[in-house]
């Protein structure tokens, strides 16, 4: 059986972190065949020559049959590859925010250089029949760099963020190079069908691709299999966390604290894609249009710090401080504040209790690849008295979670109306909707996701055979 090699910008070290669902699923896949998880260590180090293929540059640690191999980046590489291109070009463009992108040519060069560095270092670890699974927008050209160094392994890629429509993608000066690079993979997986459609339209319109069959494309003299593999959560792990002491304590504390109130919850990284200011505006509309919620509805918004060294995030932080301050100033009473805004990370084991104590979850990104919070909220509910999910139609999760109340987050009034509907929804309707949602979240959990992707990758006709 072939070994699995997972490559991602950051890895997860089982010795240090309380691993989330994704890390658990990838580790589980790695343990089944034995394998390697390869990526950036998260550390910066001055390097005289920009990093050479030296085994000593790698931090290698093996637990059982799984090896974790990481390396440090130079500050210059971190600025250009990570902050500049990955988070200053690809992240905003893929979330339709051309206004926030900075197309500095230095960033593109750094991005390419670091992908070459990943390839050179990875090649020292590879065996001929390893199966390689590359993750996310930081590493789009990695397979092309590996191929040009003679690597013939089976290589799959999964994009965790949205694939934008062709004309938005075309705003990136290097768009053709990026999309051509994807054809060096054997299988490219996206979160949602809409992403597959955007990619297919791009290669048909910009590269005169020919469709050879379902999700089978030919362009740039290569053929490629694509597909939608919606990522899920580890439902059982989440249920276990909800039933553990910390989960139960958190639930009991929240229920007691808010016994006279109705709790609404948002849990997000503080990121402009998550639609946080729009959400606060909608909550304000709710209090204006439905005054019965005053002195009652309380929104806890957790916005965990994220990418604080990227400029656009400062503006968002200031905007949120001001919007939350204004709503509390305008509507708050001595014994009731409408919004509790927490700009800190909350321990993972406390989240399920918080989800379960909430009557409504607001998951209203302006654009999102999938959104796992939506699935975590569903998994944490009491099936006999479940809370209701208000979900943006622009989250990848909306393709699967049709029984949620789907909203357009740009439509403040429509979102406020949906929140009101969620707050007053009769128990029988909540139970019906929740049961359908939970079934879907269970059927397509994170184990299903990694199994299905890896099975498809194992079955695809490899690039080597195409070329002979
Ligand atoms: C990318 C894509 C896609 C959040 N705040 C805290 C905290 N979280 C946890 C949540 C959830 C995770 O972080 C966030 O996952 P999302 O899916 O919402 O979003 P991204 O981080 O943007 O992830 C996204 C995902 O990749 C997977 O493919 O779904 O579309 O953008 O698990 O619970 N966890 C803790 N404290 C917090 O304060 N412990």
């Amino acid at each position: 059986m072939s070994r699995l090699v997972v490559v991602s910008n950051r890895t997860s070290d089982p010795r240090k972190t309380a691993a989330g669902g994704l890390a658990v699923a990838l580790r589980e896949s790695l343990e089944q065949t034995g394998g390697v998880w390869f990526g950036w260590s998260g550390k910066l180090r001055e390097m005289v020559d920009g990093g050479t293929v030296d085994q000593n540059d790698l931090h290698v640690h093996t637990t059982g049959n799984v090896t974790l191999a990481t390396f440090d980046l130079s500050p210059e590489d971190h600025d250009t590859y990570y902050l500049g291109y990955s988070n200053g070009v690809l992240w905003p463009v893929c979330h339709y925010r051309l206004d926030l992108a900075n197309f500095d040519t230095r960033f593109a060069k750094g991005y390419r250089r670091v992908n070459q560095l990943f390839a050179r270092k990875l090649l020292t670890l590879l065996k001929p029949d390893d199966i390689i699974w590359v993750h996310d927008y930081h590493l789009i050209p990695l397979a092309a760099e590996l191929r040009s160094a003679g690597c013939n392994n089976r290589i799959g890629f999964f994009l965790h963020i949205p694939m934008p429509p062709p004309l938005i993608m075309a705003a990136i000066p290097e768009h053709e190079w990026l999309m051509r690079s994807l054809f060096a993979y054997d299988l490219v997986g996206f979160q949602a069908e809409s992403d597959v459609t955007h990619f297919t339209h791009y290669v048909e319109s910009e590269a005169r691709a020919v469709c050879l069959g379902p999700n089978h494309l030919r362009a740039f003299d290569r053929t490629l299999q694509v597909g939608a593999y919606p990522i899920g959560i580890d439902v059982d792990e989440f249920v276990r966390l909800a039933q553990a002491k910390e989960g139960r304590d958190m639930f009991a504390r929240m229920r007691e604290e808010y016994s006279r109130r109705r709790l609404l919850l948002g849990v997000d990284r503080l990121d402009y894609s998550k639609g946080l200011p729009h959400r606060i505006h909608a909550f304000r509309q709710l209090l204006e249009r439905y005054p019965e919620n005053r002195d009652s509805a309380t929104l806890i918004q957790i916005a965990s710090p994220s990418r604080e060294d990227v400029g656009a995030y400062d503006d968002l932080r200031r905007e949120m401080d001001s919007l939350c301050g204004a709503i509390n100033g305008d509507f708050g009473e001595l014994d009731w504040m409408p919004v509790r805004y927490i700009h800190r990370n909350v321990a993972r084991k406390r989240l399920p209790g918080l989800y379960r104590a909430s009557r409504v979850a607001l998951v209203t990104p302006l654009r999102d690849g999938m959104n796992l919070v939506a699935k975590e909220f569903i998994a944490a509910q009491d099936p006999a008295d479940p809370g209701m999910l208000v979900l943006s139609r622009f989250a990848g999760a909306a393709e699967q979670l049709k029984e949620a109340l789907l909203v357009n987050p740009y439509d403040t009034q429509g979102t406020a109306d949906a929140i009101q509907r969620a707050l007053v929804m009769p128990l029988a309707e909540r139970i019906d909707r929740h049961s359908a949602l939970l079934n879907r979240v269970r059927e397509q959990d994170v184990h299903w996701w990694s199994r299905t992707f890896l099975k498809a990758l194992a079955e695809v006709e490899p690039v080597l055979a195409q070329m002979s």
Side-chain angles (χ1 to χ4, degrees):
M1 197 186 228
S2 301
R3 258 190 350 167
L4 176 63
V5 175
V6 172
V7 189
S8 50
N9 177 57
R10 295 299 304 276
T11 61
S12 161
D13 186 339
R15 294 164 299 165
K16 288 189 193 144
T17 43
L22 176 61
V24 169
L26 290 175
R27 263 206 101 67
E28 185 184 82
S29 305
L30 283 163
E31 278 161 8
Q32 272 163 19
T33 54
V36 179
W37 196 340
F38 179 74
W40 171 39
S41 62
K43 296 195 189 102
L44 299 184
R45 186 155 56 99
E46 291 290 352
M47 276 177 260
V48 186
D49 58 356
T52 52
V53 191
D54 176 353
Q55 193 63 31
N56 297 330
D57 279 341
L58 290 178
H59 314 290
V60 180
H61 188 273
T62 301
T63 315
N65 59 357
V66 179
T67 298
L68 188 69
T70 60
F71 65 97
D72 303 340
L73 285 180
S74 72
E76 160 73 9
D77 285 344
H78 178 254
D79 278 354
T80 54
Y81 147 81
Y82 182 73
L83 298 178
Y85 206 74
S86 299
N87 289 320
V89 174
L90 295 174
W91 180 273
V93 171
C94 290
H95 291 88
Y96 301 16
R97 292 299 303 269
L98 294 181
D99 57 317
L100 296 178
N102 178 0
F103 301 111
D104 184 328
T105 50
R106 253 178 358 109
F107 298 161
K109 286 196 189 110
Y111 181 72
R112 172 123 203 228
R113 188 173 64 241
V114 172
N115 269 272
Q116 286 167 339
L117 188 65
F118 263 80
R120 286 206 306 276
K121 289 184 186 292
L122 181 59
L123 281 164
T124 65
L125 300 172
L126 287 182
K127 296 182 180 166
D129 66 343
D130 284 345
I131 288 189
I132 306 170
W133 189 5
V134 179
H135 288 262
D136 228 359
Y137 58 105
H138 315 85
L139 299 172
I140 291 171
L142 182 60
E145 298 298 346
L146 288 167
R147 300 277 184 234
S148 69
C151 170
N152 288 321
N153 296 58
R154 213 171 263 260
I155 316 179
F157 178 78
F158 185 78
L159 186 67
H160 290 255
I161 66 174
M163 176 73 202
L167 284 181
I168 292 190
M169 177 50 83
I172 301 180
E174 303 78 28
H175 65 98
E176 199 209 321
W177 169 69
L178 288 167
M179 295 298 101
R180 175 193 292 269
S181 300
L182 284 176
F183 278 75
Y185 290 96
D186 297 296
L187 171 67
V188 170
F190 297 100
Q191 297 273 25
E193 290 298 342
S194 57
D195 301 313
V196 176
T197 305
H198 290 159
F199 180 71
T200 307
H201 285 168
Y202 175 94
V203 288
E204 282 173 351
S205 62
E206 299 280 330
R208 282 193 232 104
V210 180
C211 204
L212 301 176
N215 289 343
H216 196 195
L217 298 162
R218 181 161 187 87
F220 307 113
D221 294 328
R222 305 292 277 270
T223 64
L224 174 68
Q225 193 72 41
V226 294
Y229 301 90
I231 194 168
I233 61 163
D234 186 339
V235 178
D236 294 329
E237 179 230 18
F238 225 74
V239 170
R240 263 197 309 280
L241 280 179
Q243 287 163 357
K245 185 171 179 319
E246 291 243 19
R248 283 186 286 120
D249 287 354
M250 188 70 188
F251 173 73
R253 257 181 55 201
M254 285 293 142
R255 271 286 154 100
E256 194 193 329
E257 176 80 24
Y258 292 96
S259 56
R260 292 196 310 110
R261 317 258 187 238
R262 285 185 295 177
L263 195 57
L264 297 96
L265 179 67
V267 176
D268 308 78
R269 282 188 304 101
L270 184 64
D271 190 288
Y272 50 79
S273 65
K274 304 292 181 185
L276 296 171
H278 295 71
R279 189 179 303 168
I280 303 298
H281 284 300
F283 186 60
R284 190 182 179 100
Q285 277 267 323
L286 175 85
L287 300 178
E288 279 166 5
R289 283 168 65 81
Y290 302 98
E292 66 268 32
N293 290 308
R294 295 185 196 171
D295 200 21
S296 166
T298 304
L299 169 62
I300 296 186
Q301 177 60 59
I302 294 165
S304 49
S306 163
R307 303 178 195 160
E308 302 211 300
D309 33 11
V310 177
Y313 291 73
D314 282 346
D315 298 342
L316 176 62
R317 188 181 170 171
R318 272 195 295 277
E319 188 180 2
M320 283 299 284
D321 287 348
S322 138
L323 285 173
C324 294
I327 198 170
N328 283 341
D330 294 344
F331 291 90
E333 302 286 347
L334 286 175
D335 61 350
W336 171 68
M337 282 296 158
V339 178
R340 291 208 157 180
Y341 172 56
I342 300 166
H343 179 55
R344 273 195 316 276
N345 201 56
V346 171
R348 185 169 170 77
K349 48 194 171 197
R350 305 179 107 187
L351 286 180
L354 194 54
Y355 287 137
R356 198 175 171 101
S358 305
R359 174 57 58 225
V360 176
L362 302 182
V363 180
T364 53
L366 305 178
R367 193 73 185 101
D368 216 331
M370 176 54 57
N371 196 298
L372 297 179
V373 171
K375 297 185 174 184
E376 291 169 356
F377 176 75
I378 291 163
Q381 294 309 299
D382 173 1
D385 184 14
M388 194 58 213
L389 174 64
V390 173
L391 177 63
S392 165
R393 57 173 299 180
F394 305 127
E399 280 188 10
Q400 293 172 294
L401 306 180
K402 298 246 183 271
E403 292 81 5
L405 292 183
L406 296 186
V407 296
N408 167 7
Y410 293 97
D411 174 4
T412 310
Q413 190 172 312
T415 305
D417 292 344
I419 299 172
Q420 175 65 5
R421 191 173 160 209
L423 283 168
V424 299
M425 188 178 282
L427 178 63
E429 183 177 354
R430 280 191 279 128
I431 290 178
D432 281 356
R433 285 176 182 263
H434 175 260
S435 133
L437 289 167
L438 184 60
N439 283 343
R440 198 116 354 95
V441 171
R442 262 200 185 287
E443 271 163 24
Q444 300 191 332
D445 69 357
V446 73
H447 308 289
W448 168 89
W449 169 76
S450 52
R451 217 173 37 241
T452 312
F453 183 91
L454 287 172
K455 182 166 179 288
L457 179 57
E459 285 168 359
V460 93
E461 188 190 339
V463 168
L464 182 63
Q466 288 176 27
M467 290 177 346
S468 60

